[in-house]
């Protein structure tokens, strides 16, 4: 790789090739990192680890010098630790515990988690539930070498974790556990009201409120909506309201050198854009006609 940057995208993890297929997909995009869901994001049905071709995936990644220690898992969306219904809370905790074990089974160290939705009980009560849930989950997975990365959210519906302060409140509520990190999603923080174009301001706020050492993953997405719209609709790199040059700052910033950048931009005409988007970012050159031939 011409420059020493950690860049990749989310890739699929499904039969018959499972994790081997995930690594092959990432390599086809010329990525050196990747993110997977260990099963469908919308449910908790999971293929047993023995069938997931994990060793094959790992050895292919190693052969190709991928940054395997920076690979990422994403927890399913159905988890809502903030849910006021005790049964659903317990259900979410149990799925998260299982997902942490699966992440460890893939020998992946980072698991991205959407903190939760308060569904009407308000921010404070919702955050309290998230903290309680995370404390239970952390305790029952003490021996797993997995860091839960709380994702910064866009503020759609009753989402929590939409400011750095809220994310920090969660971490503090778990006594600053060293098994908690943060995933910063550029589309989400834009939609939540942060000025993504001002990277110095974003990172200095992040540092003073949470601490940059907690930042473990960047989701690099453009946004279909204006700053502060609280929508959460990802756009292809350079085709949204954040823009190519502003996203590029996050790819090459020295302070973020060791943080993997993961694209979750939409498919175009049912085709993945990642190989081309990664190429544009590496070459630092935007191609406004990128999708003309798609
Ligand atoms: Fe996410
Ligand atoms: Fe994201
Ligand atoms: Zn999103």
């Amino acid at each position: 790789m011409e420059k020493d940057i950690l860049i990749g995208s989310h890739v699929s993890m499904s039969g018959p090739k499972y994790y081997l297929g995930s690594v092959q997909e990432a390599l086809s995009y010329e990525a050196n990192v990747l993110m997977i869901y260990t099963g469908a994001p919308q449910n908790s049905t999971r293929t047993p680890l023995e069938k997931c071709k994990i060793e094959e995936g790992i050895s292919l990644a190693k052969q190709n010098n991928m940054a395997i220690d920076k690979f990422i898992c994403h927890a399913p969306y159905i988890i809502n630790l903030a849910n006021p219904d005790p049964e659903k809370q317990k259900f979410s905790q149990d799925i998260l515990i299982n997902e942490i074990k699966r992440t460890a089974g893939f020998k992946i160290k980072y698991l991205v988690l959407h903190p939760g939705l308060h569904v009407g009980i308000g921010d404070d009560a919702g955050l309290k539930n998230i903290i309680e849930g995370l404390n239970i989950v952390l305790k029952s997975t003490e021996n797993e070498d997995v860091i839960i990365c709380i994702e910064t959210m866009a503020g759609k519906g009753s989402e929590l974790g939409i400011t750095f302060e809220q994310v920090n409140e969660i971490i503090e509520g778990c006594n600053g556990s060293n098994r908690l990190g943060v995933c910063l999603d550029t589309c989400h923080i834009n939609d939540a009201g942060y000025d993504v174009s001002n990277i110095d301001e974003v990172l200095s706020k992040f540092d003073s409120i949470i601490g940059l050492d907690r930042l473990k993953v960047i989701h690099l997405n453009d946004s279909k909506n204006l700053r502060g719209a609280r929508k959460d609709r990802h756009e292809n790199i350079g085709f949204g309201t954040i823009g190519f040059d502003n996203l590029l700052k996050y790819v090459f910033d020295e302070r973020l050198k060791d943080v993997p950048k993961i694209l979750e931009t939409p498919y175009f005409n049912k085709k993945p854009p990642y190989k081309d988007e990664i190429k544009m970012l590496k070459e630092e050159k935007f191609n406004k006609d990128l999708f003309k031939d798609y």
Side-chain angles (χ1 to χ4, degrees):
M1 195 165 294
E2 46 285 80
K3 279 196 183 148
D4 196 18
I5 55 173
L6 295 165
I7 192 159
S9 69
H10 101 94
V11 292
S12 62
M13 212 292 291
S14 55
K17 294 206 276 181
Y18 296 101
Y19 196 45
L20 176 61
S22 309
V23 173
Q24 286 170 337
E25 186 182 339
L27 288 169
S28 79
Y29 303 149
E30 289 167 50
N32 57 2
V33 288
L34 58 76
M35 181 173 83
I36 55 164
Y37 288 86
T38 81
Q42 316 85 351
N43 63 48
S44 60
T45 313
R46 292 294 178 260
T47 308
L49 288 173
E50 312 82 73
K51 285 192 178 167
C52 288
K53 303 197 192 301
I54 295 172
E55 287 311 320
E56 289 97 317
I58 291 173
S59 54
L60 182 66
K62 281 185 180 160
Q63 276 165 41
N64 286 278
N65 293 316
M66 295 181 83
I68 204 166
D69 55 329
K70 303 283 182 180
F71 284 13
I72 311 290
C73 273
H74 197 308
Y77 311 140
I78 36 159
I79 295 176
N80 181 14
L81 296 176
N83 203 302
D85 177 335
E87 242 170 76
K88 289 181 183 157
Q89 240 178 67
K90 171 87 170 66
F91 170 79
S92 289
Q93 293 162 10
D94 289 344
I95 297 175
L96 182 54
I97 289 166
N98 186 50
E99 211 57 39
I100 289 169
K101 291 180 179 159
R102 281 179 74 80
T103 302
F106 279 85
K107 306 210 167 64
I108 290 180
K109 185 158 180 179
Y110 302 101
L111 176 64
V112 173
L113 173 73
H114 293 182
L117 300 104
H118 69 65
V119 294
I121 57 171
D123 290 2
D124 290 343
L127 288 166
K128 189 170 157 278
N129 288 345
I130 293 171
I131 290 165
E132 269 176 31
L134 274 177
N135 276 316
I136 291 168
V137 169
L138 286 166
K139 197 156 198 300
S140 50
T141 56
E142 267 171 345
N143 299 318
E144 306 293 352
D145 186 21
V146 172
I147 293 182
I148 302 168
C149 300
I150 298 163
E151 183 164 357
T152 57
M153 302 309 287
K156 192 180 56 181
S158 64
E159 277 175 352
L160 294 166
I162 66 176
T163 60
F164 298 161
E165 284 83 356
Q166 280 187 355
V167 171
N168 187 57
E169 199 176 321
I170 296 169
I171 296 171
E172 290 291 304
C174 300
N175 304 308
S177 166
N178 55 13
R179 291 190 44 227
L180 291 178
V182 179
C183 166
L184 183 135
D185 186 311
T186 54
C187 168
H188 295 178
I189 65 167
N190 170 78
D191 290 20
Y194 291 88
D195 180 5
V196 177
S197 73
N198 193 342
I199 186 172
D200 288 337
E201 187 187 73
V202 168
L203 295 185
S204 79
K205 274 186 188 166
F206 192 103
D207 194 35
S208 65
I209 297 164
I210 303 172
L212 265 184
D213 54 328
R214 294 270 181 193
L215 182 51
K216 306 299 184 192
V217 192
I218 289 189
H219 282 169
L220 195 78
N221 302 307
D222 215 324
S223 174
K224 286 191 196 294
N225 292 99
L226 289 173
R227 180 179 160 197
R230 307 187 75 163
K231 290 279 203 232
D232 189 6
R233 292 192 60 212
H234 301 186
E235 181 54 284
N236 292 104
I237 301 293
F239 292 88
T241 60
I242 299 173
F244 187 78
D245 292 343
N246 290 323
L247 290 167
L248 204 55
K249 295 173 189 168
Y250 292 77
V251 177
F252 290 103
D253 195 284
E254 261 307 294
R255 293 163 287 188
L256 306 176
K257 189 166 60 71
D258 299 325
V259 182
K261 288 88 188 171
I262 302 289
L263 277 61
E264 305 173 296
T265 50
Y267 276 37
F268 198 97
N269 278 338
K270 298 188 177 154
K271 289 186 211 132
Y274 306 121
K275 184 179 182 185
D276 291 322
E277 291 184 338
I278 288 170
K279 186 165 178 279
M280 287 198 304
L281 290 165
K282 282 183 190 167
E283 293 176 352
E284 302 174 58
K285 228 179 116 209
F286 180 54
N287 173 10
K288 66 174 178 20
D289 299 322
L290 184 64
F291 296 115
K292 285 230 165 105
D293 320 322
Y294 267 59

